Amino acid sequence: MLAFNIPDRDTLYQPVASIMARDFWEDRYAADIEAIIRLKKQHNAVILAHNYQTPEIFHCVADIRGDSLALARAAQNIDADIIFMAGVHFMAETAKLLNTEKKVLIPDVAAGCSLAEGITAENVRYLKQAYPGVPVVTYVNSTAAVKAESDICCTSGNARKVVESLNVPRVIMIPDEFLARNIQAETGIEMITWPAHCEVHERFTPQEIRQYRRMHPGVKVVAHPECPPEVVEAADYSGSTAQMITYIAEEKPEKVLLVTECSMSDNLAAEYPNTTFVRPCNLCPHMKRITLPAIRKSLENLEAEVVIPEALQERARLAVERMLRV
């Protein structure tokens, strides 16, 4: 392999300079960042990072960043031997579905999701039997086995577009009950729901929003649609993480409260220094299993590889590909 010179530390530190002290970054992160960059080059690997990853991952080692929809689209066009998911397990499965010939790694197979764990393929078959002929729209926060039982997938960013594309008065929308109820309020299309929730977003309340408004006059409140409908109603704007970024870029609020996972604010603070981010610090315990040392170890050992049973691959991939065509 040809010699590879990694960027100097000034360059590596620059993306987080506005939010992280240099000494702290040097002591905690620099050595792992340099090692990961070398390992990426050595193995022809590309790192995909979700918007909820911490800044030292999101800004310092990730090659492609975004919400689950952006990562799913990017996974289709990656020229690399290894796709490395700095995110939770269902995201790695989705990348594998769209890149069956590539090796897909995740640093911690226990990085799960309360939504994905909240419904099974058997549950979906029950719903289809109870509501024959009603199309099943499944949030990407689900396992490959659940996707395989579905007609089409969606993300929080394209859920309305996907549902409306079906041209039906009623859909089964799983597993996120709150997302389904929020989309029903937007579209008027009846949603048959399942009682699963995101363990981060379900904790937000309208009372909390009102308290933050009292504490921070003039703050703009931007809520994720995985939040309860009454929280979304109390917000100034609701959208996926990608749509939140667009809102901040276009509206340029002086002060904003992102009603979502806390690391989102940390990452955006580095990119939008003129906006003050009020942080209701609800952390996703699964996302926080992904750390620089875990990424380094995974790339050193080329583990853990994501494997999807062949019996599920074609049907699950079809549901994802239908979403990407909408």
Side-chain angles (χ1 to χ4, degrees):
M1 187 179 68
L2 296 175
F4 171 63
N5 295 321
I6 66 171
D8 60 56
R9 286 195 172 182
D10 286 342
T11 301
L12 294 175
Y13 170 67
Q14 192 279 328
V16 294
S18 65
I19 61 170
M20 195 177 299
R22 178 66 178 261
D23 289 348
F24 178 84
W25 180 88
E26 290 273 0
D27 291 342
R28 292 284 298 273
Y29 304 130
D32 283 331
I33 289 168
E34 290 174 333
I36 289 166
I37 292 172
R38 289 194 190 96
L39 288 162
K40 284 197 298 180
K41 182 69 174 181
Q42 177 183 338
H43 297 302
N44 190 24
V46 63
I47 294 180
L48 280 61
H50 189 267
N51 289 327
Y52 293 159
Q53 287 301 300
T54 51
E56 69 277 6
I57 295 172
F58 189 83
H59 290 294
C60 297
V61 300
D63 301 292
I64 298 170
R65 298 171 286 271
D67 64 2
S68 54
L69 177 60
L71 297 181
R73 291 191 184 281
Q76 294 181 297
N77 303 297
I78 290 175
D79 183 19
D81 296 322
I82 295 173
I83 296 173
F84 191 96
M85 179 58 69
V88 294
H89 195 268
F90 78 80
M91 298 176 183
E93 276 194 335
T94 304
K96 182 64 176 179
L97 288 172
L98 297 172
N99 296 272
T100 54
E101 76 289 356
K102 296 183 185 296
K103 181 176 287 189
V104 176
L105 303 178
I106 186 169
D108 192 331
V109 294
C113 171
S114 60
L115 286 167
E117 294 161 7
I119 193 167
T120 66
E122 183 179 5
N123 297 147
V124 185
R125 289 191 289 270
Y126 163 79
L127 287 169
K128 291 196 292 186
Q129 184 177 15
Y131 301 95
V134 179
V136 178
V137 178
T138 296
Y139 196 25
V140 290
N141 299 41
S142 55
T143 64
V146 167
K147 290 181 175 71
E149 296 292 337
S150 309
D151 295 296
I152 189 170
C153 288
C154 74
T155 70
S156 57
N158 67 8
R160 177 173 182 167
K161 188 175 181 182
V162 166
V163 166
E164 291 180 334
S165 75
L166 300 175
N167 294 312
V168 294
R170 189 188 211 193
V171 302
I172 299 169
M173 191 169 185
I174 55 174
D176 190 332
E177 178 186 12
F178 293 152
L179 177 63
R181 287 169 57 191
N182 287 322
I183 295 301
Q184 177 172 291
E186 290 183 24
T187 64
I189 297 170
E190 181 186 354
M191 300 290 160
I192 298 165
T193 64
W194 186 258
H197 310 117
C198 169
E199 63 190 282
V200 173
H201 293 99
E202 71 176 348
R203 302 206 308 266
F204 292 108
T205 66
Q207 292 80 10
E208 186 178 5
I209 303 303
R210 289 193 290 269
Q211 182 178 0
Y212 275 108
R213 288 194 189 277
R214 287 193 296 269
M215 294 169 58
H216 302 277
V219 69
K220 294 295 183 181
V221 178
V222 181
H224 195 282
E226 289 178 15
C227 292
E230 57 270 23
V231 172
V232 170
E233 186 177 352
D236 297 297
Y237 177 79
S238 176
S240 68
T241 56
Q243 291 164 338
M244 289 179 174
I245 295 170
T246 299
Y247 176 90
I248 291 167
E250 293 179 353
E251 300 297 325
K252 299 178 175 59
E254 291 184 11
K255 187 181 294 186
V256 67
L257 170 71
L258 297 185
V259 189
T260 190
E261 213 273 353
C262 189
S263 291
M264 181 82 179
S265 294
D266 296 334
N267 291 328
L268 290 181
E271 298 184 37
Y272 299 94
N274 294 326
T275 294
T276 298
F277 290 86
V278 179
R279 290 170 169 81
C281 214
N282 290 357
L283 295 172
C284 173
H286 305 288
M287 285 286 183
K288 296 305 170 274
R289 298 183 74 96
I290 310 302
T291 64
L292 285 176
I295 293 172
R296 179 177 180 174
K297 181 179 179 182
S298 183
L299 283 172
E300 287 173 343
N301 300 319
L302 297 183
E303 60 183 19
E305 184 172 1
V306 175
V307 178
I308 300 173
E310 288 189 17
L312 298 176
Q313 285 185 18
E314 184 175 352
R315 290 185 297 140
R317 181 170 59 252
L318 182 58
V320 176
E321 289 177 341
R322 283 173 177 158
M323 171 189 74
L324 295 175
R325 290 196 295 266
V326 172

